Amino acid sequence: MNYVFGPVPSRRLGQSLGIDTIPLKTCNWNCVYCQLGRTVPLTNDRREYVPAEEILLEAEQALKSHMTGEIDWVTFVGSGEPTLHGRIGWLIRQIKTMTDKPIAVITNGSLLYLPEVRDELMVADAILPTLDAGTAMLYRKINRPHPQATFERLVDGLIAFREEYRGKLWVEVMLVRGLNDTPQALEDIAQILQRVKPDAVHINLPTRPPAETWVQPTDDEGLMRAISILGNTAEVVHPAEGGFDLSGYENVMDAIIGIITRHPMRQDELERTLIRLSPGQVKEALTALKNSGRAQIVDRLGVHFWSAAPSVYPDEKHSQRTKSPSSSQVKKRGIS
Ligand code: SF4
């Protein structure tokens, strides 16, 4: 399996079968908290990064190989921004014909200003876009977007989508201490949310390895503040614990790489996932993983995380606070 992974336990979507439409870290944002590391380079091109037919074939196999009850949602999520895949709409419609499981798309929402992207997502059952800031300045600090992915386009896209979309719109706010957990920053976000009118607001914390070393989740006080300011549809989404399904892969190594490329794991999660192996085999698998050159251990938030080797995590010295993308980080071509 190259494009389909899991099911993995999801904070919002139970056991979620992941569909990954793009190569690692293909994104038009470079969020300071991104669990997949930095986006180098940023890209805003919509195209068929991998053949849609191949993704569909894997999705069909995965759906057939799991019994009723093993999958709660089919979720487009993974190595970057899924709506950058130019045929995501076709994929959603095809998968709809194969299963009665609900389909979700976890997106940064930056391309919803495009009528064709709104149209492509219309048949999904839930769309989970991100809104971490209520001003253009804070948006640039937290999400560090491609120059064409402007704050105005993000907000306009969310409002336009809400007007047309009949499914569940769950807006996610990732709370970073000292950045968007202040009373003013939360009031600014609340004002935009009043215009978007989502069905729910999911308050999330960076609990996976953030791209930048200095990123910290907000504290209890910040969470309480967020709940009281962001309105009565706001709820804190706690990290999910549970089993990761490694079936469908040729071997354990490929299975682990398949998961940690999209979903970095703590050492204890990884050990729990390998529970069917003996302690000796687990140790052997982790040593092989480390020596394979396909994985790396990242230290963040006082914890060791396993992530894919190509992901870019700067060390303390190189982790800059709020750097805007330089011209060398930005691909020349893009949606204008
Ligand atoms: S968190 Fe999502 S939107 Fe932000 S950089 Fe990572 S993949 Fe892109």
Side-chain angles (χ1 to χ4, degrees):
M1 292 273 173
N2 293 314
Y3 316 113
V4 174
F5 61 99
V8 296
S10 159
R11 288 180 263 205
R12 297 147 295 190
L13 304 166
Q15 285 299 114
S16 167
L17 183 72
I19 314 278
D20 190 3
T21 56
I22 43 178
L24 180 59
K25 216 56 211 294
T26 305
C27 198
N28 54 2
W29 286 7
N30 180 23
C31 302
V32 294
Y33 57 74
C34 184
Q35 64 175 352
L36 304 175
R38 279 195 185 160
T39 311
V40 187
L42 286 164
T43 181
N44 206 37
D45 292 338
R46 286 201 81 217
R47 61 185 169 86
E48 192 168 355
Y49 287 92
V50 289
E53 285 77 11
E54 286 183 24
I55 300 174
L56 190 65
L57 200 60
E58 284 195 5
E60 188 176 15
Q61 283 170 1
L63 285 165
K64 276 185 185 155
S65 66
H66 286 91
M67 297 188 329
T68 317
E70 288 181 341
I71 296 171
D72 297 313
W73 284 79
V74 177
T75 308
F76 284 78
V77 62
S79 307
E81 173 46 40
T83 63
L84 285 169
H85 194 288
R87 292 180 70 196
I88 188 171
W90 179 83
L91 278 164
I92 296 171
R93 283 170 205 275
Q94 292 299 314
I95 293 172
K96 271 262 165 215
T97 67
M98 294 175 179
T99 179
D100 56 3
K101 296 293 171 198
I103 297 181
V105 181
I106 298 182
T107 168
N108 62 23
S110 61
L111 297 179
L112 288 173
Y113 78 95
L114 294 169
E116 62 271 28
V117 173
R118 296 201 296 275
D119 188 50
E120 286 174 52
L121 299 192
M122 208 56 73
V123 290
D125 299 278
I127 302 295
L128 293 82
T130 298
L131 183 71
D132 298 324
T135 64
M137 190 186 286
L138 192 54
Y139 166 65
R140 286 195 296 269
K141 278 187 178 176
I142 298 175
N143 305 113
R144 303 186 299 191
H146 186 286
Q148 290 165 356
T150 64
F151 182 66
E152 290 69 28
R153 283 177 166 174
L154 172 68
V155 174
D156 289 351
L158 288 170
I159 293 170
F161 189 66
R162 172 71 295 178
E163 281 169 7
E164 299 163 9
Y165 182 59
R166 295 292 159 258
K168 299 290 181 200
L169 185 67
W170 296 329
V171 171
E172 178 171 296
V173 181
M174 185 72 91
L175 278 190
V176 180
R177 191 183 304 178
L179 276 184
N180 60 354
D181 65 347
T182 64
Q184 186 59 58
L186 290 164
E187 295 284 359
D188 293 339
I189 296 171
Q191 281 194 12
I192 306 282
L193 289 172
Q194 277 168 17
R195 296 167 62 202
V196 175
K197 301 185 185 71
D199 297 292
V201 177
H202 291 162
I203 299 168
N204 223 324
L205 296 175
T207 54
R208 303 254 151 218
E212 305 301 335
T213 55
W214 48 265
V215 167
Q216 293 284 335
T218 191
D219 52 17
D220 287 349
E221 212 178 298
L223 273 180
M224 297 302 290
R225 195 160 46 237
I227 290 169
S228 74
I229 295 177
L230 295 183
N232 53 12
T233 59
E235 59 183 292
V236 178
V237 177
H238 294 286
E241 297 290 337
F244 291 74
D245 188 332
L246 300 185
S247 62
Y249 290 90
E250 304 261 309
N251 57 58
V252 174
M253 180 82 74
D254 285 349
I256 295 172
I257 297 289
I259 302 275
I260 66 173
T261 299
R262 288 95 182 191
H263 198 292
M265 290 165 90
R266 298 188 312 266
Q267 173 95 17
D268 63 301
E269 282 177 308
L270 199 43
E271 284 173 6
R272 221 174 322 128
T273 298
L274 300 174
I275 197 129
R276 67 185 167 82
L277 304 181
S278 70
Q281 285 174 312
V282 171
K283 200 169 166 212
E284 210 174 284
L286 293 184
T287 306
L289 187 63
K290 200 171 172 184
N291 295 338
S292 70
R294 298 169 68 193
Q296 61 176 317
I297 296 176
V298 187
D299 288 318
R300 288 287 193 274
L301 308 167
V303 179
H304 292 326
F305 289 93
W306 288 81
S307 185
S311 294
V312 179
Y313 297 92
D315 59 20
E316 195 79 48
K317 194 170 149 210
H318 297 95
S319 190
Q320 293 131 333
R321 259 198 98 72
T322 51
K323 194 167 175 283
S324 294
S326 67
S327 52
S328 64
Q329 281 179 295
V330 176
K331 268 189 159 180
K332 290 218 166 50
R333 289 181 307 132
I335 297 160
S336 54

